[in-house]
Amino acid sequence: MTAPVTWTTEDTEEVDCCLCGVRGRLVHDLAPFGVVRCPRCGLVFISPRLAPAALQRLYDDVGYFEGGVYGDAAREPRRFDAAMLLQRTWTAGRLALLDRVRGRGPGGRLLEVGAGYGLFLDAARRAGWETSGVELSRTGARHARETLGLDVFCGQLAEAPLRPGVDVVCAWDTVEHVPDPLDLWRTVRSLVADDGVVLFSTPYVSSLPARLLGTRWWTLKPAEHIWHFTPRTHAVLLARAGLALTQVVRSPLAPANAGRLDSLVGVARPVPLD
């Protein structure tokens, strides 16, 4: 990923816990960023963090999605590209998990929040889903629309012109990036059908690598990963938004989470509205 060599305090802002509305207590000083923990609920987050304008610059960088686990997504994936092989493994595993939790095969409307270059959406469409997506990165959204012909809105989820009654909402490695996860999940709850399902993935700060490595944890990434969850804080956050966490997949042997020692895949369902 190419990005500014350094961020300064002028690029950052202080924020409060999205659940409790209070300032966090410093865990790691990674100036100009701070890793903090909420003294009430235990949610770990970044404050100071990149302000919206700086964050947009980060995600618009043409190199953001290149390399690492994304491979060379801007071009046709290479036959033996290890990163893209891993992406395909996750995609197949997540589509299979979706079929299992729904108890039936593909069919209906699927929305992906944080669609990136559209690789998962493209696979879901080929599997038989009616797909749409939302992506903050202008570069990613453009590739998804122009190269893959996908319906992807560039911007925040709350701004997207979407109809309620979505059967499935997916958010792969997305919720740790958004300015307000509670607002995101409340918007998802307003869009997903009462009998729908929500699937997501995130790193988790209670994983063994995170606990052992501290500031050397490879997924800490304070410029972009601005919320760090545990299964418990996921459950609390989702419940506040009207969603119930029903399943957590942490095994790196599971295809939906293949090779990921510090990440999880979650399944949530809407709580019936009164």
Side-chain angles (χ1 to χ4, degrees):
M1 181 185 73
T2 59
V5 175
T6 58
W7 299 103
T8 70
T9 55
E10 286 72 26
D11 297 310
T12 66
E13 64 179 2
E14 293 272 357
V15 295
D16 297 334
C17 174
C18 65
L19 284 170
C20 305
V22 300
R23 290 293 163 97
R25 293 176 179 168
L26 188 66
V27 177
H28 301 300
D29 184 358
L30 301 175
F33 308 109
V35 182
V36 301
R37 178 179 285 108
C38 177
R40 294 182 184 174
C41 71
L43 179 62
V44 176
F45 57 102
I46 305 300
S47 182
R49 71 183 188 192
L50 288 183
L55 200 61
Q56 186 68 58
R57 295 201 307 274
L58 174 69
Y59 293 132
D60 283 345
D61 190 297
V62 294
Y64 178 75
F65 289 106
E66 301 304 324
V69 298
Y70 296 101
D72 190 7
R75 293 190 287 273
E76 186 69 21
R78 291 164 289 179
R79 185 179 182 90
F80 299 109
D81 187 310
M84 293 311 299
L85 177 62
L86 196 54
Q87 285 285 332
R88 289 192 289 270
T89 300
W90 293 335
T91 294
R94 290 164 182 180
L95 288 172
L97 175 62
L98 174 55
D99 289 347
R100 288 197 299 274
V101 299
R102 295 178 77 238
R104 57 186 185 277
R109 295 168 59 201
L110 182 149
L111 168 67
E112 184 180 8
V113 184
Y117 272 109
L119 305 181
F120 176 82
L121 273 185
D122 184 48
R125 180 178 58 183
R126 287 186 277 107
W129 289 97
E130 176 188 344
T131 60
S132 59
V134 176
E135 171 56 46
L136 183 62
S137 165
R138 296 182 183 98
T139 303
R142 185 182 308 114
H143 182 275
R145 290 194 302 258
E146 297 178 2
T147 303
L148 299 178
L150 293 163
D151 174 15
V152 173
F153 173 81
C154 185
Q156 297 288 356
L157 176 62
E159 303 165 347
L162 297 166
R163 293 181 292 110
V166 177
D167 298 291
V168 177
V169 178
C170 298
W172 307 122
D173 294 324
T174 294
V175 68
E176 68 270 23
H177 295 262
V178 301
D180 187 336
L182 181 56
D183 182 65
L184 172 82
W185 288 135
R186 283 174 170 164
T187 304
V188 167
R189 179 62 186 93
S190 74
L191 292 169
V192 70
D194 288 343
D195 62 348
V197 63
V198 177
L199 288 85
F200 64 93
S201 62
T202 68
Y204 65 109
V205 74
S206 56
S207 66
L208 185 61
R211 289 185 284 115
L212 288 179
L213 296 175
T215 59
R216 294 180 291 113
W217 179 32
W218 58 81
T219 315
L220 192 58
K221 299 181 180 179
E224 53 197 276
H225 291 172
I226 54 181
W227 304 94
H228 289 285
F229 304 97
T230 66
R232 185 188 71 81
T233 54
H234 269 309
V236 172
L237 180 67
L238 288 160
R240 188 79 64 86
L243 298 161
L245 183 64
T246 59
Q247 184 177 349
V248 175
V249 178
R250 282 181 276 193
S251 172
L253 301 179
N257 196 49
R260 307 189 78 180
L261 301 174
D262 61 344
S263 293
L264 60 79
V265 172
V267 178
R269 295 184 181 273
V271 175
L273 301 173
D274 294 332

Short mmCIF file of all heavy atoms in Angstrom, two decimals, residues 185 189 192 196-200 231 234-248 266-272:
data_model
loop_
_atom_site.label_atom_id
_atom_site.label_comp_id
_atom_site.label_asym_id
_atom_site.label_seq_id
_atom_site.Cartn_x
_atom_site.Cartn_y
_atom_site.Cartn_z
N TRP A 185 -24.27 -0.32 12.00
CA TRP A 185 -25.15 -1.47 12.25
C TRP A 185 -26.61 -1.05 12.36
O TRP A 185 -27.50 -1.82 11.96
CB TRP A 185 -24.70 -2.24 13.49
CG TRP A 185 -23.45 -3.02 13.34
CD1 TRP A 185 -22.40 -3.09 14.21
CD2 TRP A 185 -23.08 -3.91 12.26
NE1 TRP A 185 -21.42 -3.93 13.77
CE2 TRP A 185 -21.81 -4.45 12.57
CE3 TRP A 185 -23.70 -4.28 11.07
CZ2 TRP A 185 -21.16 -5.36 11.71
CZ3 TRP A 185 -23.05 -5.18 10.22
CH2 TRP A 185 -21.81 -5.70 10.55
N ARG A 189 -29.49 -2.58 10.09
CA ARG A 189 -30.76 -3.12 10.63
C ARG A 189 -31.97 -2.51 9.92
O ARG A 189 -32.98 -3.19 9.71
CB ARG A 189 -30.86 -2.84 12.15
CG ARG A 189 -32.16 -3.35 12.78
CD ARG A 189 -32.27 -4.85 12.64
NE ARG A 189 -33.56 -5.38 13.08
CZ ARG A 189 -34.60 -5.59 12.28
NH1 ARG A 189 -34.52 -5.25 11.00
NH2 ARG A 189 -35.71 -6.11 12.74
N VAL A 192 -31.93 -4.57 6.36
CA VAL A 192 -32.05 -6.02 6.25
C VAL A 192 -33.47 -6.45 6.57
O VAL A 192 -34.13 -5.89 7.46
CB VAL A 192 -31.02 -6.71 7.17
CG1 VAL A 192 -31.37 -6.53 8.65
CG2 VAL A 192 -30.89 -8.18 6.82
N GLY A 196 -33.78 -11.84 7.42
CA GLY A 196 -32.50 -11.80 6.74
C GLY A 196 -31.35 -12.18 7.65
O GLY A 196 -31.54 -12.57 8.81
N VAL A 197 -30.14 -12.06 7.14
CA VAL A 197 -28.96 -12.44 7.89
C VAL A 197 -27.83 -11.47 7.56
O VAL A 197 -27.78 -10.92 6.46
CB VAL A 197 -28.55 -13.90 7.58
CG1 VAL A 197 -28.16 -14.07 6.12
CG2 VAL A 197 -27.42 -14.39 8.48
N VAL A 198 -26.97 -11.25 8.55
CA VAL A 198 -25.81 -10.37 8.40
C VAL A 198 -24.55 -11.19 8.67
O VAL A 198 -24.47 -11.89 9.68
CB VAL A 198 -25.89 -9.19 9.39
CG1 VAL A 198 -24.64 -8.32 9.29
CG2 VAL A 198 -27.15 -8.36 9.15
N LEU A 199 -23.59 -11.10 7.77
CA LEU A 199 -22.30 -11.77 7.96
C LEU A 199 -21.19 -10.73 7.87
O LEU A 199 -21.26 -9.80 7.06
CB LEU A 199 -22.06 -12.84 6.89
CG LEU A 199 -22.88 -14.12 7.00
CD1 LEU A 199 -24.24 -13.95 6.34
CD2 LEU A 199 -22.14 -15.30 6.36
N PHE A 200 -20.17 -10.90 8.70
CA PHE A 200 -19.07 -9.92 8.72
C PHE A 200 -17.79 -10.60 9.16
O PHE A 200 -17.80 -11.71 9.72
CB PHE A 200 -19.40 -8.75 9.65
CG PHE A 200 -19.54 -9.14 11.10
CD1 PHE A 200 -18.45 -9.06 11.96
CD2 PHE A 200 -20.75 -9.58 11.62
CE1 PHE A 200 -18.57 -9.42 13.30
CE2 PHE A 200 -20.88 -9.95 12.95
CZ PHE A 200 -19.78 -9.87 13.79
N PRO A 231 -15.22 -10.79 20.62
CA PRO A 231 -16.57 -11.33 20.44
C PRO A 231 -17.59 -10.67 21.37
O PRO A 231 -18.74 -10.43 20.97
CB PRO A 231 -16.39 -12.82 20.75
CG PRO A 231 -14.97 -13.10 20.31
CD PRO A 231 -14.20 -11.86 20.71
N HIS A 234 -18.40 -7.12 20.10
CA HIS A 234 -19.23 -7.28 18.91
C HIS A 234 -20.69 -7.52 19.31
O HIS A 234 -21.61 -6.91 18.77
CB HIS A 234 -18.75 -8.46 18.07
CG HIS A 234 -17.74 -8.12 17.03
ND1 HIS A 234 -17.91 -7.09 16.12
CD2 HIS A 234 -16.55 -8.69 16.72
CE1 HIS A 234 -16.86 -7.04 15.31
NE2 HIS A 234 -16.02 -7.99 15.67
N ALA A 235 -20.89 -8.45 20.25
CA ALA A 235 -22.25 -8.80 20.66
C ALA A 235 -22.98 -7.60 21.26
O ALA A 235 -24.17 -7.36 20.97
CB ALA A 235 -22.22 -9.96 21.65
N VAL A 236 -22.28 -6.83 22.09
CA VAL A 236 -22.88 -5.65 22.72
C VAL A 236 -23.24 -4.61 21.67
O VAL A 236 -24.34 -4.05 21.67
CB VAL A 236 -21.93 -5.05 23.77
CG1 VAL A 236 -22.45 -3.71 24.28
CG2 VAL A 236 -21.74 -6.03 24.94
N LEU A 237 -22.33 -4.37 20.76
CA LEU A 237 -22.54 -3.37 19.72
C LEU A 237 -23.71 -3.76 18.82
O LEU A 237 -24.59 -2.94 18.52
CB LEU A 237 -21.27 -3.22 18.90
CG LEU A 237 -21.28 -2.22 17.74
CD1 LEU A 237 -21.41 -0.80 18.26
CD2 LEU A 237 -20.01 -2.36 16.91
N LEU A 238 -23.74 -5.01 18.38
CA LEU A 238 -24.82 -5.47 17.51
C LEU A 238 -26.16 -5.41 18.22
O LEU A 238 -27.17 -5.00 17.63
CB LEU A 238 -24.52 -6.90 17.04
CG LEU A 238 -23.39 -7.02 16.02
CD1 LEU A 238 -22.85 -8.45 15.98
CD2 LEU A 238 -23.87 -6.62 14.63
N ALA A 239 -26.19 -5.82 19.49
CA ALA A 239 -27.45 -5.78 20.25
C ALA A 239 -27.99 -4.36 20.36
O ALA A 239 -29.21 -4.14 20.26
CB ALA A 239 -27.24 -6.39 21.63
N ARG A 240 -27.10 -3.40 20.56
CA ARG A 240 -27.53 -2.01 20.65
C ARG A 240 -28.18 -1.55 19.33
O ARG A 240 -29.02 -0.66 19.34
CB ARG A 240 -26.33 -1.13 20.98
CG ARG A 240 -26.63 0.31 21.29
CD ARG A 240 -27.14 0.52 22.72
NE ARG A 240 -26.14 0.17 23.70
CZ ARG A 240 -25.19 1.00 24.15
NH1 ARG A 240 -25.12 2.24 23.66
NH2 ARG A 240 -24.34 0.63 25.07
N ALA A 241 -27.79 -2.19 18.23
CA ALA A 241 -28.31 -1.81 16.92
C ALA A 241 -29.52 -2.64 16.50
O ALA A 241 -30.06 -2.44 15.41
CB ALA A 241 -27.21 -1.94 15.87
N GLY A 242 -29.93 -3.60 17.34
CA GLY A 242 -31.08 -4.42 16.99
C GLY A 242 -30.73 -5.69 16.24
O GLY A 242 -31.56 -6.24 15.52
N LEU A 243 -29.49 -6.18 16.44
CA LEU A 243 -29.03 -7.40 15.80
C LEU A 243 -28.48 -8.34 16.87
O LEU A 243 -27.85 -7.89 17.83
CB LEU A 243 -27.94 -7.10 14.77
CG LEU A 243 -28.35 -6.22 13.58
CD1 LEU A 243 -27.10 -5.62 12.91
CD2 LEU A 243 -29.16 -7.03 12.57
N ALA A 244 -28.69 -9.63 16.70
CA ALA A 244 -28.20 -10.61 17.66
C ALA A 244 -27.08 -11.43 17.04
O ALA A 244 -27.26 -12.03 15.96
CB ALA A 244 -29.34 -11.54 18.09
N LEU A 245 -25.93 -11.45 17.69
CA LEU A 245 -24.80 -12.26 17.24
C LEU A 245 -25.11 -13.72 17.53
O LEU A 245 -25.28 -14.10 18.69
CB LEU A 245 -23.52 -11.83 17.95
CG LEU A 245 -22.22 -12.53 17.53
CD1 LEU A 245 -21.88 -12.23 16.08
CD2 LEU A 245 -21.07 -12.09 18.44
N THR A 246 -25.20 -14.56 16.50
CA THR A 246 -25.63 -15.95 16.68
C THR A 246 -24.51 -16.96 16.45
O THR A 246 -24.64 -18.11 16.86
CB THR A 246 -26.78 -16.28 15.73
OG1 THR A 246 -26.37 -16.07 14.37
CG2 THR A 246 -28.00 -15.40 16.03
N GLN A 247 -23.43 -16.56 15.80
CA GLN A 247 -22.34 -17.50 15.52
C GLN A 247 -21.05 -16.73 15.32
O GLN A 247 -21.05 -15.65 14.72
CB GLN A 247 -22.66 -18.31 14.26
CG GLN A 247 -21.64 -19.39 13.93
CD GLN A 247 -22.05 -20.22 12.71
OE1 GLN A 247 -23.18 -20.13 12.24
NE2 GLN A 247 -21.14 -21.04 12.21
N VAL A 248 -19.95 -17.28 15.83
CA VAL A 248 -18.63 -16.71 15.64
C VAL A 248 -17.70 -17.82 15.19
O VAL A 248 -17.59 -18.86 15.83
CB VAL A 248 -18.09 -16.06 16.93
CG1 VAL A 248 -16.66 -15.57 16.73
CG2 VAL A 248 -18.98 -14.91 17.38
N GLY A 266 -18.35 -13.41 11.81
CA GLY A 266 -19.55 -13.40 12.65
C GLY A 266 -20.81 -13.50 11.82
O GLY A 266 -20.87 -13.06 10.67
N VAL A 267 -21.84 -14.07 12.44
CA VAL A 267 -23.17 -14.17 11.84
C VAL A 267 -24.15 -13.52 12.81
O VAL A 267 -24.13 -13.80 14.02
CB VAL A 267 -23.58 -15.63 11.60
CG1 VAL A 267 -24.99 -15.70 11.01
CG2 VAL A 267 -22.57 -16.32 10.67
N ALA A 268 -24.98 -12.64 12.31
CA ALA A 268 -25.97 -11.97 13.15
C ALA A 268 -27.33 -12.00 12.46
O ALA A 268 -27.41 -12.03 11.22
CB ALA A 268 -25.55 -10.51 13.44
N ARG A 269 -28.37 -11.94 13.27
CA ARG A 269 -29.74 -11.91 12.74
C ARG A 269 -30.49 -10.73 13.36
O ARG A 269 -30.23 -10.35 14.50
CB ARG A 269 -30.45 -13.22 13.01
CG ARG A 269 -29.84 -14.42 12.28
CD ARG A 269 -30.65 -15.68 12.50
NE ARG A 269 -30.05 -16.81 11.83
CZ ARG A 269 -30.28 -17.14 10.57
NH1 ARG A 269 -31.11 -16.39 9.84
NH2 ARG A 269 -29.73 -18.22 10.04
N PRO A 270 -31.45 -10.20 12.62
CA PRO A 270 -32.21 -9.08 13.15
C PRO A 270 -33.06 -9.50 14.35
O PRO A 270 -33.64 -10.58 14.36
CB PRO A 270 -33.10 -8.65 11.97
CG PRO A 270 -32.47 -9.27 10.76
CD PRO A 270 -31.79 -10.51 11.23
N VAL A 271 -33.11 -8.64 15.35
CA VAL A 271 -34.03 -8.82 16.46
C VAL A 271 -35.38 -8.24 16.03
O VAL A 271 -35.41 -7.13 15.51
CB VAL A 271 -33.50 -8.10 17.72
CG1 VAL A 271 -34.52 -8.19 18.86
CG2 VAL A 271 -32.16 -8.68 18.15
N PRO A 272 -36.48 -8.97 16.21
CA PRO A 272 -37.78 -8.45 15.76
C PRO A 272 -38.08 -7.09 16.38
O PRO A 272 -37.83 -6.87 17.58
CB PRO A 272 -38.78 -9.50 16.25
CG PRO A 272 -37.96 -10.77 16.34
CD PRO A 272 -36.60 -10.32 16.77
#
